[in-house]
Structures are given as C-alpha cells and as structure tokens.
Amino acid sequence: MVLSGLRREMVLAAIAEFDQLGRDAFLKLYGYRPAIGYFLVHGGRRYDSKAIAGVAHREVDGRPLRPDEFSGGNATVARVLGGLGFEVMQPGQVAEVPSIEDLLQKVESLKPAVSPASGARKRHQPLTLLWAIGRAAQGKPRLRRWESTYRDLGRLIEEFGLEEDRPNAEFPILWLHHHGLWDLPGHIDVPRASGSPAQRWMKEQRPDSGLRPWAYEIVTDREDIRARIVVRLLSAYFHGVDHNRLLTRVGLDAMSSPTSRREAVVERIIRDSLLAEQIKRAHDFHCQICGDRLTLHQGFYAEGAHIRPLGKPHNGPDEPGNLLCLCPNHHVLFDRGMITIQADLTVMDTASGASLGHLRVIQNHEINQDHLDYHRQVIATQN
C-alpha cells in the first residue's frame, strides 16, 4: 500500500506545517486541491486529509507524495489515518469533536453489571479501557485485530476480574461501542452487549477495534487526563487489587511515559510506586498544598506521599485515596506530622495552628477521609 509506513508523529509534523503556512499556502506548495468530503479532525480543526497524508509520507521515503500517486477515499487515507488514531470526517458528517470533559463524563458513567454473589461491580469495562489506554501510552496502534484483543482482554479478566467472571471480551467492547468510546470501523447494525447473538456476531465478524479516534487522541497526547482516568478506574472498580501489578500488566508503567517525564522520575521510581506516578501525572506534577511545580532540565518533578504510611506499624494501603502529590518540602513536613489535613481539606500547620489554605483537588482523585483521620490522630501525635 502506498501509504504504508506512516506513523503518528509524521502526520502531526504535517499538521504543524499546515498550521504554520495556512491552508491555501500549504495546498499550493504541495499541489493539492481542497478536500471536498474527507477531512482529518485534530484539536478541533479540520485538515485536508489527503494532503496531510501525502505530505506526511515524505518522512517515509524522503519526499511527499503527489496527488496523482494515490487516492484519498475511505479505503486509503481514511483507513490509514484512522488506524493511527486520528478522526477522519466522511462526506455528510458534521465536525463535532467531543471534548476532554465528554471523555471524563463517559468514564464516570460506565455501567458495569453487578455480581449477584458479592455485590461488587464487574471489571470487564474498566479493564478494557485500561488495556486500551496502556496501548495508547506506549504509542501502539489504535486498532487491534479481534483475535489479539480477545486473547489479551481474556487474560486480564481472568487475572484481575471477580472470581466468578468469565473472560468474555465481546460484551465490554460492544457496550463501550454503544456508549460512544469504542470504534468498530466498517460495521453497522452492531448488536447490543447481551446474550449469545452478540457473542456470535463478534466471532463471525472478528472486527478490528479500539478506542474512538477522538478518545485515543486525548489519552495519547494528554498525560494528565490519561492519569486522571486511570486513577478514577482504579479507585472505583479495583478495591483489594494490587494496583501496581495491574498497571504493569496493561503497560502503564514508568517506561510508558514520554522521555521528558520519564527522566524526571528516575530518581524516585524505587520509592514511588507506579500508582504514585499516575497520581503525580494526574495533578500534572503540581503540589496539592502549595500548588508549585518543580521544573528540572529533564521535565517536571513532584513526589507521591502516602497519607497513612506503608508497612508496619501503620500498614497503609497503596491506593489512590491514600496518596497525595506533593513538592519535596511539603512531603517531608507532612510525613513528620508538621502538616495535617482536616476533614474539610483545610491544611494546618501543627506547630502554629495556622491554616495554610485548602488542599488542591482534582476530579477523579478522591482522598480517603479515614486515612486523613489516621494521619491526624497517629502521625501528627507521634511526631
């Protein structure tokens, strides 16, 4: 295929040039006519998809493609760009790109079935999302063949699902598709996520699938939003699960972050768990007490602070509700009980009794009040 070899960063470079030159100059420079039906949608803007793909191809063999060297329809440009995680409008579609708030709301409104045995919510949907987000964090293609998807998700469900859960990957994919988060390109009349007809349809069609392009774009390009979603899913659905092991299994370990951020956490990775890294990224490395964000040559820096300490004699859990994102100074003061946090999230200086303001919080990261109580009653008192 003439467009084989394209990578996401090549397309982003062509988009950046388009933005710099402007549409008319870009199209004139490379000899392309304005698009009529197919547009690439990125960052809320429309781009001529064939021109972008053709110019991006220069990174493959050293020169951009001429317009007459390839077609720009659904089977070529739209398929390739879609596979790289971009949204491609087709004729008649309206350019309405969902926002970050839309994505967060959809994650908040998952509706997993409830286990009749334990009353816990089943984990098929959140595991599917964590798996897809891990792939995005590692720069893997948005779409995955059905056989590989079925195998990977089945193993995750067996390892991290409830005891009675069956490793059926069909249902979470179908449910997430109708929820607006999952893409089954080229398929219409997709059945609802219920019963043997749905399983039979998936096995017969064996569709390539993955996050919808707009969602993939957000979790690929916005590390802080990706981390907020991960923290939300872990907090809501994986009580009693080793979060660090789960993060490793889905590819959300330290090595999945961009180089600039990865180098910034090398010194702390032994002490900070993988979960703590997600908490720091969710807060975009801003201290929850003072709001400062330290900048090093390699990137931003913060520390993960457990409210109730890990290990004996405190036996605090390594879970989102027991973690804060703090600068080094406030981390030390908090660990030594010189700072406490009240039930209303007022931060107090225990030496002077003065208020230091309110703890800075974000959606999706909820602090456990029991751990705050323990810190005030035990850590601050002991020190």
Side-chain angles (χ1 to χ4, degrees):
M1 184 179 178
V2 69
L3 292 176
S4 61
L6 277 187
R7 297 196 304 274
R8 183 176 175 85
E9 60 266 25
M10 300 176 185
V11 178
L12 291 173
I15 289 173
E17 184 179 358
F18 186 108
D19 288 339
Q20 182 181 11
L21 296 177
R23 184 188 188 199
D24 293 342
F26 183 87
L27 296 178
K28 182 178 180 180
L29 177 62
Y30 293 105
Y32 284 85
R33 294 180 178 179
I36 298 175
Y38 291 90
F39 290 91
L40 183 156
V41 180
H42 179 75
R45 298 187 61 187
R46 298 197 314 172
Y47 298 85
D48 303 72
S49 60
K50 182 176 179 180
I52 291 292
V55 173
H57 192 266
R58 64 190 168 191
E59 303 295 334
V60 177
D61 59 12
R63 68 171 183 86
L65 293 174
R66 298 189 306 272
D68 60 358
E69 290 184 283
F70 68 112
S71 65
N74 186 55
T76 52
V77 170
R79 181 175 180 82
V80 170
L81 293 178
L84 293 175
F86 294 99
E87 185 83 54
V88 179
M89 287 175 51
Q90 300 191 15
Q93 288 183 322
V94 178
E96 293 183 359
V97 182
S99 65
I100 289 173
E101 289 71 25
D102 293 326
L103 176 58
L104 294 175
Q105 190 279 328
K106 285 185 177 295
V107 172
E108 288 274 357
S109 59
L110 297 180
K111 295 180 180 178
V114 176
S115 165
S118 64
R121 288 176 291 181
K122 292 181 177 289
R123 297 167 176 165
H124 296 67
Q125 294 170 25
L127 280 171
T128 301
L129 287 177
L130 287 173
W131 173 78
I133 291 170
R135 288 179 55 80
Q138 298 172 80
K140 293 183 177 180
R142 179 178 68 89
L143 298 177
R144 180 90 157 149
R145 299 187 69 84
W146 168 244
E147 291 79 7
S148 300
T149 298
Y150 186 82
R151 180 192 66 237
D152 292 351
L153 290 180
R155 290 172 178 172
L156 280 175
I157 294 167
E158 287 182 330
E159 187 172 354
F160 296 100
L162 303 180
E163 279 191 22
E164 71 273 18
D165 283 349
R166 295 183 178 181
N168 296 331
E170 302 95 333
F171 295 137
I173 285 177
L174 290 173
W175 194 92
L176 290 170
H177 171 78
H178 290 290
H179 192 54
L181 286 175
W182 207 262
D183 193 15
L184 296 170
H187 294 276
I188 58 176
D189 298 327
V190 177
R192 293 287 173 178
S194 177
S196 57
Q199 290 180 298
R200 184 166 57 250
W201 186 90
M202 291 291 285
K203 290 176 181 178
E204 290 173 353
Q205 299 297 323
R206 301 199 305 276
D208 293 353
S209 73
L211 286 172
R212 289 194 181 270
W214 65 271
Y216 177 90
E217 181 179 310
I218 291 173
V219 299
T220 299
D221 299 339
R222 289 290 303 271
E223 184 182 51
D224 57 331
I225 301 303
R226 182 171 73 227
R228 285 173 62 180
I229 293 171
V230 170
V231 169
R232 161 65 185 175
L233 294 174
L234 294 177
S235 300
Y237 301 104
F238 295 96
H239 301 292
V241 173
D242 185 335
H243 291 169
N244 295 295
R245 184 164 63 92
L246 175 54
L247 290 171
T248 300
R249 283 282 286 109
V250 298
L252 285 165
D253 53 22
M255 298 305 292
S256 69
S257 59
T259 301
S260 60
R261 294 288 179 82
R262 183 169 66 244
E263 292 177 356
V265 301
V266 166
E267 297 176 4
R268 291 285 304 178
I269 191 61
I270 295 176
R271 292 181 59 194
D272 275 355
S273 67
L274 300 181
L275 176 60
E277 294 300 323
Q278 293 296 323
I279 295 294
K280 293 188 295 184
R281 291 172 184 142
H283 288 271
D284 205 18
F285 293 81
H286 288 279
C287 176
Q288 287 184 256
I289 292 177
C290 65
D292 288 348
R293 179 171 66 173
L294 301 183
T295 302
L296 307 181
H297 288 300
Q298 303 93 338
F300 302 124
Y301 180 80
E303 297 180 358
H306 288 88
I307 302 169
R308 179 170 182 160
L310 303 179
K312 294 181 179 180
H314 306 292
N315 298 317
D318 197 20
E319 63 184 23
N322 191 37
L323 274 161
L324 299 172
C325 174
L326 300 180
C327 67
N329 285 347
H330 283 122
H331 188 180
V332 171
L333 292 172
F334 185 77
D335 280 356
R336 301 298 173 87
M338 298 303 295
I339 290 174
T340 61
I341 301 172
Q342 304 302 306
D344 64 354
L345 301 186
T346 300
V347 182
M348 302 294 296
D349 182 319
T350 57
S352 66
S355 168
L356 302 179
H358 276 77
L359 188 74
R360 291 163 171 82
V361 296
I362 59 171
Q363 183 183 3
N364 306 116
H365 179 209
E366 184 174 346
I367 308 302
N368 188 301
Q369 287 286 346
D370 291 339
H371 300 321
L372 292 180
D373 291 345
Y374 185 92
H375 183 272
R376 290 194 304 272
Q377 296 166 10
V378 178
I379 305 301
T381 302
Q382 287 181 349
N383 288 285

